[in-house]
Amino acid sequence: MRSLRRRLLLWLLPATLLAGLLASAATYWGALSELDEVLGDQLKGIGQHVVVDENNRVSLTGLRQRDDDRMSGEQSHGVLLQIWRGATQIFSSDPDSILPPPVGTGLADITVGGQLWHSFVTREGDVSVRVAQQRKARWEAVAEIAMHLFWPVLSLVPVLALFLWFGIGYGLRPLREIAASLKRRDANNMQPIYTAAMPGEVKPLVDALNDLLHRLDNAFTAQKNFIADAAHELRTPIMGLGLQAELLERASSAAEREEINAQLRVGVVRLARLSEQLLTLARLSPDAQLAEDQPFDLCALARSVVSDRSRVAEVNDVDLGLVEGTPLIVRGNAENVRILLNNLVDNAIRYGGSHSRVDVVVHSHEGRPVVEVRDTGPGIAEVDLPRVWERFYRGSGHAASGSGLGLSIARRIAEQHHAVISLERGLDGRGLTVRVCFPGAPADLAYAATAH
């Protein structure tokens, strides 16, 4: 399992160490230029305090006498001292160091045997005093300074890692508290997590969790209500079938048994349709995603639905027809839209009554595909309009049987396709029109459909 603390530590520790090294490097380069000036002044100071008497004896006035190993010019803290009378060397603190006679005064760099020397020369009469130091000796001094600069940074890495480890752990404590709070909850506790004391970085996560808990609470509530309503709706037809079965056992004549069998068949068909619609409604939950999202021709789909339902319309003595124009492309799940149209056409046939007329009209309105199911039936009473979208609501004044799920299923499918479904007046100013307006199809799909 990946650790957020370890991941933060792997990012923060190298970044902090790099910042420390960069700061030390900047200090180092600044100190390097200063060191050249300081060591140059040191050479000047030593050269100006050298005194040579008439007997060629050398003394250092105002300076502490140095050890012999520090007067070679090859040590990081040492310098080479030479006294010249004319072109003759009369004194050298390191006889092994062979430098040519000085030709001028002041600071100068000379190269002897592939080694660079920094030197300072003073002259009084025919006596020249040279104080010199090898370049590599200065680099040794610089290396010592670098060690003093970088060693504290490196030595602080374990301490820094420890502080970062516990600091990150302290910063992640709100996440552990959220996890512990959720772990203590039971399945029925969907209360939002308190966010007032949460850090700003954690609050978006908690807000998302609260939104999820809210949606889960709504889904569980809808599921409980659906199960309760379904159990209530299924109880009546099941009890009816049980009673018809008991009556069938007591039937005394063939005619009576045939009548009971007919009622049983009607009850089984009604129960099968109710079960099918319940399963469809359960599958079309508000948060369910479309199983398939493909373009299809709404006119061809409506033509297929009218053809399938024509036999039902004929049995119920209903005039079912289709009014269509050019192909209209809709993007979505064609099978779900077929269920929508089947429910609307079935409702119109069932509630329109015999000798009624049902038209399925497919057209375009302001660039949006529209399908309408119009009938000349009794329509829906004004008092029932606010509740017709509710599950299992059948309204008043209708003799036809039904489950009260058709419009609810149609509305769910319309919402899945971001379509608008509405109720209007039917044919000839009476009856009912159910209008479904789909989103406009992309231009390339519409062009392809027209060309085809």
Side-chain angles (χ1 to χ4, degrees), residues 242-254 256-257 260:
L243 290 175
Q244 294 295 335
E246 291 180 3
L247 291 175
L248 182 61
E249 294 178 356
R250 302 174 187 175
S252 57
S253 63
E256 188 177 356
R257 281 193 295 272
I260 295 174

Side-chain angles (χ1 to χ4, degrees), residues 112-161:
V112 178
Q115 297 292 333
L116 178 65
W117 290 77
H118 300 286
S119 68
F120 176 76
V121 179
T122 62
R123 181 172 294 168
E124 187 175 351
D126 63 342
V127 177
S128 298
V129 178
R130 171 190 279 159
V131 183
Q133 186 181 44
Q134 280 191 7
R135 181 63 177 173
K136 68 176 184 178
R138 286 196 177 184
W139 281 112
E140 291 178 2
V142 170
E144 293 180 9
I145 294 175
M147 287 298 298
H148 288 294
L149 287 174
F150 295 132
W151 176 248
V153 176
L154 297 176
S155 63
L156 285 176
V157 170
V159 178
L160 182 62

Side-chain angles (χ1 to χ4, degrees), residues 405-440:
L405 293 174
L407 287 179
S408 181
I409 291 173
R411 189 176 194 180
R412 287 276 182 89
I413 296 174
E415 290 173 350
Q416 280 189 340
H417 290 77
H418 306 289
V420 178
I421 185 169
S422 58
L423 303 179
E424 301 173 2
R425 280 289 183 183
L427 294 171
D428 303 328
R430 57 193 181 96
L432 180 69
T433 294
V434 183
R435 188 172 190 264
V436 184
C437 184
F438 291 91

